[in-house]
């Protein structure tokens, strides 16, 4: 695998953005490889997966490119008061990456995965653009942001969340994964995992129950674990294997 550190110009964000890329270095002429957009969590950035997991070593066993962009604390959202990170990650970034690297633009070859805040972002992207992404995975995802907002009322993060999502309720909007999951057509394949000691465990169980109730297919796994890199390093290996299952 080749590891490439990129600085790209985003016209959507009107700034330069950092993106890390892992890609096979023996790609044949006219070959287009599968691509996984791998998203970081809250407080993180584009370096997290390389610093805290063994993603490069695990990727050796899978012939795909892995794109790791910086989105900071945006919740992968077009912020009410801020930058349009959802448009950047879901639309502009794939166009730029496809112009720079020999990666496929076919739905069946495009995947998105993330941890915590990135789990929310991964599902939001795939459920908004199910014609572009065939599979999405969430590791300890913040899947019910409406509940998180209510839990942070009168706390230090309240104003931060309002700068992202605004003052109106999220339910039945483009930022609501429950609403998007019902609406998406075709349905992307979804993978959900969470540690049983994770503070987002109940959040994940609620989303799992919703998918079951509405007969939306998904794969779910859990095990003992907290909201940390020990869990995510173990489960990203499961995600990579799951991507190649028919």
């Amino acid at each position: 695998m080749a590891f490439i550190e990129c600085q790209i110009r985003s016209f959507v964000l009107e700034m330069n953005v950092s993106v890390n890329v892992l890609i096979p270095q023996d790609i044949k002429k006219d070959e287009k490889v599968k691509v996984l957009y791998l998203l970081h969590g809250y407080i993180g950035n584009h370096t997290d997966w390389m610093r805290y997991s063994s993603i490069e070593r695990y990727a050796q066993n899978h012939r795909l490119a892995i794109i790791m962009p910086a989105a900071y604390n945006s919740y992968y959202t077009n912020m009410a008061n801020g930058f349009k990170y959802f448009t950047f990650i879901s639309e502009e970034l794939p166009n730029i990456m496809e112009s720079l690297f020999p990666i496929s633009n076919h739905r069946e070859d495009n995947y998105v995965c993330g941890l915590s805040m990135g789990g929310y972002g991964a599902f939001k992207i795939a459920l908004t653009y199910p014609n572009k992404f065939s599979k999405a995975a969430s590791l300890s995802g913040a899947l019910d942001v409406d509940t998180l907002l209510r839990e942070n009322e009168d706390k230090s993060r309240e104003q931060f969340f309002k700068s992202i999502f605004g003052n109106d309720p999220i339910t039945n909007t483009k930022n609501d994964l429950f609403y998007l999951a019902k609406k998406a057509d075709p349905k992307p394949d979804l993978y959900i995992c969470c540690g049983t000691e994770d503070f987002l465990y109940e959040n994940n169980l609620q989303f799992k129950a919703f998918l079951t109730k509405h007969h939306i297919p998904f794969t779910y796994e859990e095990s003992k674990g907290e909201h940390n890199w020990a869990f995510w390093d173990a489960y990203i290996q499961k995600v990579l294997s799951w991507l190649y299952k028919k």
Side-chain angles (χ1 to χ4, degrees), residues 68-101:
M68 297 165 281
Y72 304 103
N73 290 346
S74 67
Y75 266 81
Y76 300 91
T77 292
N78 288 344
M79 302 166 69
N81 296 291
F83 298 100
K84 294 182 177 180
Y85 271 101
F86 179 74
T87 300
F88 165 64
I89 297 289
S90 64
E91 299 179 26
E92 186 182 32
L93 180 64
N95 289 335
I96 295 173
M97 293 293 101
E98 288 164 19
S99 72
L100 295 175
F101 299 103

Side-chain angles (χ1 to χ4, degrees), residues 38-242:
L38 189 56
L39 311 182
H40 64 76
Y42 187 81
I43 308 177
N45 64 20
H46 62 291
T47 68
D48 285 12
W49 281 101
M50 293 296 296
R51 293 168 64 197
Y52 303 124
S53 81
S54 295
I55 186 63
E56 183 172 8
R57 181 161 56 87
Y58 305 147
Q60 298 280 358
N61 299 321
H62 304 277
R63 193 169 184 78
L64 82 167
I66 299 178
I67 311 295
M68 297 165 281
Y72 304 103
N73 290 346
S74 67
Y75 266 81
Y76 300 91
T77 292
N78 288 344
M79 302 166 69
N81 296 291
F83 298 100
K84 294 182 177 180
Y85 271 101
F86 179 74
T87 300
F88 165 64
I89 297 289
S90 64
E91 299 179 26
E92 186 182 32
L93 180 64
N95 289 335
I96 295 173
M97 293 293 101
E98 288 164 19
S99 72
L100 295 175
F101 299 103
I103 57 178
S104 173
N105 63 1
H106 295 153
R107 176 183 186 269
E108 63 269 21
D109 297 332
N110 273 253
Y111 319 125
V112 57
C113 169
L115 67 87
S116 194
M117 178 187 80
Y120 167 78
F123 277 8
K124 182 179 177 182
I125 290 167
L127 293 170
T128 302
Y129 293 114
N131 287 313
K132 294 183 179 180
F133 297 90
S134 61
K135 294 190 176 188
S138 166
L139 288 70
S140 312
L143 303 181
D144 184 357
V145 292
D146 215 16
T147 296
L148 290 177
L149 291 179
R150 291 195 299 272
E151 291 175 350
N152 280 276
E153 288 180 352
D154 301 321
K155 295 182 181 179
S156 60
R157 287 187 182 177
E158 180 182 14
Q159 290 304 314
F160 169 72
F161 280 127
K162 286 184 176 180
S163 73
I164 297 174
F165 296 106
N167 296 313
D168 297 328
I170 289 173
T171 302
N172 293 326
T173 71
K174 61 186 178 182
N175 292 320
D176 178 7
L177 296 185
F178 297 82
Y179 169 75
L180 293 174
K182 286 194 296 184
K183 184 180 177 182
D185 184 25
K187 305 291 187 193
D189 292 340
L190 301 178
Y191 175 94
I192 307 166
C193 66
C194 193
T196 52
E197 285 69 48
D198 195 305
F199 76 97
L200 289 175
Y201 180 58
E202 292 299 324
N203 192 287
N204 278 255
L205 290 183
Q206 290 168 7
F207 193 70
K208 172 178 176 281
F210 174 85
L211 296 178
T212 300
K213 177 181 177 181
H214 291 277
H215 307 288
I216 299 171
F218 66 93
T219 297
Y220 178 83
E221 293 189 273
E222 66 175 49
S223 63
K224 185 176 178 63
E226 299 180 8
H227 202 77
N228 59 32
W229 280 100
F231 183 86
W232 302 323
D233 183 66
Y235 272 84
I236 191 61
Q237 299 174 67
K238 295 177 180 287
V239 170
L240 291 174
S241 297
W242 171 78

